[in-house]
Amino acid sequence: QVQLVESGGGLVQAGGSLRLSCAASGRTFTDYTMAWFRQPPGKERELVAAMRWSGSNSYYANFVKGRFTISRDVTKNTLYLQMNSLKPEDTAVYYCAAAPSWVVAPSSSYVVAPSSYDYWGQGTQVTVSS
């Protein structure tokens, strides 16, 4: 059974940093695209960043370029999202998601669609105060 478990969320002041983790288990993710989505209060879920588990190719939403970095540790089967220079508008529930790379590649237009992903974590709350 595939499980994605996020952690690392919390309350931080504007300008601060957080690192989110997503522990993945239940299958091999070598041929998967892994992604971070977020859902701000009252808004639609949106893609933040995505990458192939193999380490090649990555995608960042324009609103996080230069501030957030997606990475993974294959020895720990864990996906990360390093978030720097946080802004109040980054406040959201952040979700980890996974999809087969032959369906969703970081370079594909499908990468931004939540419906493209097969597996989801439960989410972790990030709150940025001004």
Side-chain angles (χ1 to χ4, degrees):
Q1 180 181 355
V2 173
Q3 278 197 312
L4 302 176
V5 180
E6 302 96 335
S7 61
L11 174 64
V12 64
Q13 287 190 329
S17 298
L18 281 175
R19 188 177 79 158
L20 304 183
S21 300
C22 172
S25 62
R27 67 159 299 125
T28 301
F29 291 93
T30 304
D31 296 325
Y32 269 64
T33 291
M34 308 297 291
W36 287 99
F37 281 79
R38 72 184 187 185
Q39 189 161 14
K43 296 186 178 180
E44 298 287 316
R45 194 168 297 191
E46 59 187 2
L47 178 70
V48 175
M51 68 178 293
R52 287 184 184 268
W53 187 257
S54 64
S56 63
N57 299 342
S58 61
Y59 170 94
Y60 291 93
N62 287 333
F63 53 79
V64 300
K65 281 183 180 177
R67 300 191 298 127
F68 292 10
T69 303
I70 188 171
S71 64
R72 88 281 184 258
D73 184 332
V74 296
T75 64
K76 297 181 178 179
N77 237 33
T78 300
L79 182 74
Y80 300 102
L81 183 68
Q82 177 66 44
M83 305 187 295
N84 299 327
S85 302
L86 283 161
K87 305 175 182 180
E89 51 264 43
D90 294 318
T91 294
V93 178
Y94 284 72
Y95 297 90
C96 175
S101 295
W102 60 89
V103 175
V104 180
S107 58
S108 162
S109 58
Y110 294 104
V111 71
V112 301
S115 59
S116 299
Y117 294 80
D118 296 330
Y119 304 112
W120 290 87
Q122 82 288 350
T124 186
Q125 176 70 47
V126 171
T127 303
V128 184
S129 63
S130 57

